[in-house]
Amino acid sequence: MAKWGMVIDLETCTGCQACTTACAMENSRLPGENWQDVLFYSEGDYPHLNVSWLPRPCMQCENPSCVSVCPTKATFVDEGTGVVLVDWNKCIGCKYCMVACPYGVRFYMDEAPVVEPDVKAAFPGEGRRQVWNPPFRMPDEYADPSKGIGVQPKGVVSKCTFCHHKITQAPEGVADLDEDDPETREFTPACVRVCAPKARFFGDLDNPESNVNRLIAEKGGVRLKEETGNRPKVYYLSGGGSPVVPGQRSKRRS
Amino acid sequence: MASITDFSGGHSGRETQWMLHFLISLTIVVVAGGYAVWQIMTLGHAAFNTTNAGIFWGLPIVLYDYFLLTSTGLVMVAAIYHVLGVEAFRPVAKRCLGLALAGLMGGVAVLFLELSNPLMALWATPLNMQTQSPLFWKILLVGAYTVLLAIVLFNSIKQPTVRPNPLVWPLALLALAITLVAGSVYGMMAMRPMWFGGEIPVVFLIESLVGALAFTMVFSHLAHGFRHDRMSDELRWLFEGPLARLFGALIALHFLLHAGRAVTGWWSNAEGLQVWDHMLSGPLFYIGLGVCTLVPLVLMLLPATRSNGLAQVTSGLLVMIGLFIARYEFIIGGQQVPLFKGSWVQTQLIEYTPSMTEWALLGLGIGIANMVYGFAAWKLGGEDEA
């Protein structure tokens, strides 16, 4: 079985947010509640200003704190892929997983909108649990509430699935899912597939022949917040630079 | 003729008092609860000021934990008589158990309105056995605690005299376990330095006990029309002696633990602890620790005020408010440092102010707790005569 992981090259990423947009279209996300996002940070004042950015999907941890804290096992690690998923049929909406996630990549559906206008009001859903009816959505046959795939219903938590509905269709034993390879293009996660500068790579971390393993080894891939012990399966290449995420304190003006 | 002011006038005077207590509480439940339920029915949880930007647990969770820990503390105080056999605490044992159930009902009602699928929790939690989760244990323990507490009260409520009940042994153990697990829910969160630490369950235990004694003081005086001299001799002796001293000692412990965490948090440069700077720059912290903790501590330390009824009621009320502020600052403060919300969180700390609906839930919780207690005292003989 594959252990799917992602490598993001920060030296190549332009912060264009194509990944964010593709993820939102693929997974019917609300604006501002992006499973995949590019976070922007600024330090200083014009004209002495430094802007940096960090693409941030779910880290798909090997030892995920969100799974440990879920009282109903609604959040679980899929055995076949190693992907962390949410069973919407079991989620009680306690939000403990959101509290416990060090990376802030979980979203609850029944909150005030993060950004205006409220698209939920513009595209109202039908029925008690369907909050909105997105004008863009994946084909219904891909939707699987037991894995948190589809239009997120009311009162449950959702998160990035590594496009589980796509990667599980990939040929058995393949080392990497690459948009440049016609044989694996359709099975590549949306954020990886649309990355114009090719800053994202997706492959099997358990396969020594995979491109992701080569990149991590040769370019010194690092993981975020190692101190939490969550062991993310998303690696960042920073060209040997310093840690990439500015803390809240480092942003403070002196 | 008995009247509300005639608390020494015997049975009918007390009945009138508890009937009024029940009716006023019922009014609060109808008004506050009606507004909250209407808002939740029309707006969903968007009626709360919690958002996906970072404050996931708002005032309702503060309320739930506040009521729950008060309840467990009250059972532990009742256990001083039922389990440890300290005869001096017999006059308040029944009152503590009644208050424990009433507080629990208020807290659980608020929690049920906060959770999106609370009924699912009843079966999905025990059937899936996620033993690693503190919430798994908390839900199971609270379930068992509720049933056992109801049984204990049912057995004792019509008995004219209070006798040691062996069922309080497991009940007190459950209360202790719930209190420590409730602390672990926060204390295990290594990714949130404001919450993280092995001392948090102990802090919760101390807060639970000090809160329980505050409620015991206030409600015991309420039962006697806030007239200290109308208490029975044995109750007055308890309040002027062991209970007041224990209350003072626990307030001191609570103060030390709270102030100690604030000072270390304030001095630390660790990412995530800057929220202490924020908390120490606002008035709420000083109201909670100064007015609502130091003042009662002084009142309970001085012999003249320690045995004074007015000072005891004042101390009890201040501690009740102070603990609520402490719980609020702890739960909200632990979430104010944003975790990777990036572009959608532009501030250093995420701001949060409870919505009107959330405040209404405070009214609902208080109303239900008092309604249950008032009814039990009025119709079921759930009040200590002492």
Side-chain angles (χ1 to χ4, degrees), chain A residues 37 69 96 99 108 155 248, chain B residues 52 116 133 185 192 269 271 344:
Chain A
D37 207 344
V69 301
Y96 198 16
V99 167
Y108 180 70
Q248 294 301 314
Chain B
N52 279 319
S116 58
S133 171
V185 167
R192 294 183 182 270
N269 280 326
E271 177 73 19
W344 308 107

Side-chain angles (χ1 to χ4, degrees), chain B residues 49-380:
Chain B
N49 279 351
T50 51
T51 70
N52 279 319
I55 304 291
F56 312 125
W57 285 349
L59 188 65
I61 295 297
V62 176
L63 289 168
Y64 169 63
D65 269 346
Y66 180 78
F67 281 115
L68 178 66
L69 293 193
T70 302
S71 173
T72 56
L74 283 158
V75 164
M76 286 186 268
V77 171
I80 295 175
Y81 167 69
H82 285 285
V83 175
L84 301 180
V86 180
E87 188 65 24
F89 279 78
R90 188 185 54 77
V92 293
K94 192 189 230 181
R95 181 173 296 130
C96 284
L97 291 173
L99 281 171
L101 186 68
L104 183 67
M105 293 296 103
V108 169
V110 171
L111 180 70
F112 269 49
L113 288 172
E114 205 277 341
L115 290 177
S116 58
N117 301 306
L119 296 177
M120 189 193 294
L122 300 179
W123 62 263
T125 307
L127 291 183
N128 286 288
M129 294 299 289
Q130 177 49 297
T131 54
Q132 290 181 352
S133 171
L135 271 194
F136 166 81
W137 292 107
K138 194 175 174 186
I139 293 169
L140 287 196
L141 289 169
V142 170
Y145 171 79
T146 307
V147 172
L148 196 53
L149 180 57
I151 292 170
V152 167
L153 271 172
F154 184 77
N155 285 341
S156 69
I157 212 150
K158 281 292 185 187
Q159 291 195 357
T161 54
V162 178
R163 283 174 297 183
N165 186 341
L167 279 179
V168 180
W169 273 87
L171 184 63
L173 287 174
L174 282 172
L176 178 66
I178 288 167
T179 309
L180 298 176
V181 168
S184 304
V185 167
Y186 303 94
M188 287 180 177
M189 295 291 100
M191 63 295 297
R192 294 183 182 270
M194 159 75 181
W195 287 348
F196 181 60
E199 80 280 11
I200 298 301
V202 181
V203 169
F204 271 45
L205 179 61
I206 300 298
E207 290 184 356
S208 168
L209 288 169
V210 77
L213 290 185
F215 273 82
T216 307
M217 279 207 157
V218 171
F219 274 82
S220 293
H221 281 87
L222 173 69
H224 296 84
F226 294 108
R227 290 288 299 271
H228 197 65
D229 55 335
R230 284 180 178 159
M231 290 178 170
S232 66
D233 288 344
E234 56 178 351
L235 187 62
R236 199 162 56 242
W237 181 82
L238 173 67
F239 272 78
E240 292 175 4
L243 197 139
R245 287 193 173 91
L246 183 61
F247 190 37
L250 285 169
I251 296 173
L253 260 179
H254 165 56
F255 176 80
L256 289 173
L257 286 168
H258 197 166
R261 292 185 65 244
V263 170
T264 49
W266 183 47
W267 277 98
S268 173
N269 280 326
E271 177 73 19
L273 288 179
Q274 61 266 46
V275 73
W276 283 106
D277 300 357
H278 171 70
M279 280 160 48
L280 266 68
S281 66
L284 207 55
F285 177 82
Y286 299 98
I287 295 170
L289 198 63
V291 179
C292 295
T293 308
L294 263 186
V295 171
L297 178 59
V298 171
L299 289 174
M300 288 300 105
L301 283 179
L302 298 173
T305 49
R306 185 167 57 227
S307 55
N308 178 281
L310 180 64
Q312 289 185 352
V313 172
T314 306
S315 298
L317 287 171
L318 286 174
V319 167
M320 287 156 70
I321 296 166
L323 284 174
F324 185 76
I325 292 172
R327 194 66 40 81
Y328 177 87
E329 290 217 294
F330 177 73
I331 292 177
I332 303 302
Q335 302 171 81
Q336 284 191 286
V337 176
L339 295 179
F340 286 86
K341 288 296 181 184
S343 309
W344 308 107
V345 181
Q346 298 288 355
T347 53
Q348 298 283 338
L349 295 173
I350 306 166
E351 292 298 325
Y352 169 77
T353 309
S355 67
M356 275 302 291
T357 308
E358 290 170 280
W359 283 119
L361 287 180
L362 171 64
L364 177 69
I366 291 173
I368 287 178
N370 279 280
M371 195 178 78
V372 170
Y373 188 71
F375 184 79
W378 173 33
K379 285 290 182 193
L380 304 174

Side-chain angles (χ1 to χ4, degrees), chain B residues 19-37:
Chain B
M19 182 189 72
L20 277 175
H21 192 102
F22 170 76
L23 290 175
I24 292 168
S25 307
L26 180 64
T27 309
I28 294 171
V29 169
V30 170
V31 174
Y35 175 75
V37 170

